[in-house]
Amino acid sequence: MEAPQPGRQYGVTSYLSKALPTEAEIAVNNLLIDELKRQNNFESQEQTQKRKVVLESLQKITLEFVKQVSKVQGLPDSIAENSGGKIFTYGSYRLGVYGPGSDIDTLVVVPKHISREEFFQYFPPLLIKLAPPNSIQELTPVPDAFVPIIKFEYSGISIDLIFAQLAIRQVAPDLTLNNKDILRGVDEKCLRCLNGTRVTDEILELVPQKAVFRTALRGIKLWAQSEDRRAVYANVMGFPGGVAWAMLVARVCQLYPQATSSVIIAKFFRIIGRWPWPQPVLLKAIEGGPLQVRVWNPQIYHGDKYHIMPIITPAYPSMCATHNITSSTKTVLSREMERAAGIVDRIMVSKVSWKELFARHSFFTTGYKYYLSVIAASRNKESQLLWSGLVESKVRLLVSSLEHVHSIALAHPFNKGFDREHHCNSEDEFEKISNGDLQYQVKDATTEILAQTSVITPVTSTGDGGDTVKTTNEQASPEKNDKNHKIYTTTYYIGIELAADGKKQLDISYSTNEFKAICTGWQQYDIDTMSVNVVHTRNYDLPDDVFQPDETKPTRAGRAPKSKAKKRTHASIGQDSADPQNVVFGLARSIAKATVLSKLAGERNNVHIVEGDITNPQQMKEAAAAVSKTTGGSLDVLVNNAALFGGPTTGFTLTDFNGKEDLFKTDMNQAMEVNVYGIVYTTNAFLPLLLASSIKKIICITTALALSAFVEKTEIASIIPYSVSKAALNMVVTKYAILLKEQGVTVLGLSPGWVNTSDGEPTPEQAAGNEWMAGMFRKVDPRVTGQISVQESAKAGIKVIQTVGVEDSGKVLSHHGDQENWL
């Protein structure tokens, strides 16, 4: 392992700990690396070599580009041949944290007589000419971006190519960019481009152990980056980008210079998740330099005061890498880091695996009820690449505007768009498509590979300073009255969290009209071939292609009542019915005696009480018939929550029943009647309603005390009738899961945790029993201090119920959704 330099202070403050790794931390670190490998985070040597070949080719093309432009300018051959040019990388590739599918951020550095305009004019066609045949695809120059860029794929590797012109006559092969003086005489855009490489090099110089930093950064990027993980990685959408995440990880490395990557990740979520923003994150003190340029300073520059999560680049001139962060995306990040911190805490004590950290987001499944669909549409595929990119770059402005709407508490942009193709036969159909209608979508469409690559290239200057765009090998855009042609759309989704009074006062017309005006004000906007619309979308109207095959799509409210039979508590009915979109049925043996439930039903129109004893099969059939009349014959979720626990023999072991066999038989029969037979009677009665639903979930509330491995660890030899009957219930879950699998029914055993179901303060006897139980449970989880509340248990359990699918059928899960964290 690389050692930190002795006596060196890393960062603007001293370290928090220089403790050497423990054996346990090293073991967890090894598990982290194993999980990263399982997640395909490391690239093969063959693929890495392919990247090197591509970069070598780009270097040769750069030299040829400079040579040819120099000759076009009429410069002598000696100057053209020796002017030189050089390729630099930056970002993940230069940091050494790239993996399969990663792009290569690349910088072309040229001498002073080569202009940016010439770069965009000559480099793309030369690239196609000199690269191997058909190796260049999706070539998209974007000259008017904040950082002008050419995007393309070279032999399947995504390249983001930017440009910098230095105030020197010759670019030598051994040129480096570390010296500040290299920045003299360059314009602002070139300065931004040069700083990509300079910042990357500074980050690596400022971390104590590069290998530790790289592995930790891989873990954080995997957690944040993909739409298949937490989806909080996208600078353009108002989340931190690659360099910002790298700087955050580097800062934590500075604070723990001897730590393993696993410890860095654990500390990361606690430290960054609770960072006192807007205090900036700095890797070193902000430096001055030789240029009259802007350096981040909120004391001088008014705009810098509004950076709500400032992460400052270490290379001169220092800039804020997170100026795009909004109040909403900051809130989303805080929530995600809090979630991750709790998971990693359990990982570090071997309670859960690293896989748990990298679980997929729930943005579409349970994240929000209301969404905005931002739809960019074009009649031409090449135009859509530019148009959708322009719209994407403005989505964060819409988010910022929505944050000022009184009725909206949060606007959460998803970090990627969804590209779709549609067949259009009329102008009316185009209008429908541009407003989100998917009935004309081409199903299972694949990306077209054109026989000849179309290159969109600015070639002349208009009188107003804009660019005229022509297309080499161009395809004519379909006219408005053409029939039977394709329409290309890209849709960006924004989850909306309403304020308490949001439903009554929601009006976002000003924000959406302002956003559309900004987009259509683009110089290259063509009213005949492009459109942008913002459409209200309910969660149950989201397209199928935003969901994974194992995810459950939300359904329309009012068609999915949940039946709940309970003996111990009404809390989960309270939790479920708090959502007015749910219709909730509570099963009670006697409505007259169910005072708490009756009070809840009186307060909430979506709560209904059905009378029936679960140990009576006929009464369960009658209860199902009553529910059916209200719901129209369907039921989405059945939660079997009734249970019999306690009694005079709770503390008995099996040998304590010696000579008391009648008592044993009586207690066992009572427990089995409620905890097993009653569940079967109830499930059978309501099964026809469940089969009429699209969700079809049967949840049986069970306990970790019915699991052999858990009981062995706790060494609890008592609580016989309850544990044994619940173990039998777990087998009932398995049997139903097997029986109903082909019909798409999810059957789950769910442990609610160790829950306080008492109505008031415990008696001294109950308190003593709880303390004994806590001591036994601490053998499994040392963090146990007492029972959790009914509300906490119900809220967590409902989340599990919402997320499980058929693939989970037959399992017994904790209220955390795993099979380890039972308490």
Side-chain angles (χ1 to χ4, degrees), residues 28 199 210 244-245 248 310 398 497 587 658 661 694 755 792:
V28 175
V199 167
K210 292 181 178 61
W245 286 116
L248 291 175
L398 174 58
E497 188 175 296
L587 190 62
N658 188 20
E661 287 76 16
S694 61
V755 186
E792 180 182 355

Side-chain angles (χ1 to χ4, degrees), residues 140-142 382-391 456 469 522 524:
T140 310
V142 191
E382 287 71 37
S383 298
Q384 180 64 8
L385 287 172
L386 291 173
W387 176 233
S388 63
L390 183 280
V391 172
I456 303 172
V469 177
W522 183 45
Q524 297 182 39

Side-chain angles (χ1 to χ4, degrees), residues 90 169 236 496 527 790-791:
Y90 63 100
R169 295 183 177 182
V236 70
I496 300 297
I527 192 172
V790 167
Q791 290 74 20

Side-chain angles (χ1 to χ4, degrees), residues 647-659:
T649 66
T650 298
F652 280 30
T653 66
L654 286 170
T655 55
D656 291 331
F657 286 107
N658 188 20

Side-chain angles (χ1 to χ4, degrees), residues 21-69:
T22 65
E23 289 185 5
E25 289 169 349
I26 293 172
V28 175
N29 194 69
N30 291 336
L31 293 174
L32 168 64
I33 295 172
D34 290 343
E35 183 60 33
L36 291 175
K37 291 177 180 177
R38 276 193 293 271
Q39 299 272 358
N40 197 30
N41 197 257
F42 295 94
E43 192 172 70
S44 68
Q45 291 185 355
E46 180 182 0
Q47 188 63 24
T48 298
Q49 182 59 35
K50 185 179 179 181
R51 290 180 184 272
K52 293 179 180 178
V53 171
V54 166
L55 288 172
E56 289 171 0
S57 174
L58 288 176
Q59 175 61 40
K60 292 177 182 178
I61 294 171
T62 297
L63 291 173
E64 185 63 26
F65 159 69
V66 173
K67 185 190 302 183
Q68 289 195 16
V69 173

Side-chain angles (χ1 to χ4, degrees), residues 120-121 143-144 386 455-471 474 523-524:
F120 280 98
Q121 181 177 356
D144 56 351
L386 291 173
V455 185
I456 303 172
T457 313
V459 291
T460 61
S461 177
T462 63
D464 60 0
D467 291 318
T468 299
V469 177
K470 82 169 185 179
T471 304
E474 69 182 338
Q523 288 184 343
Q524 297 182 39

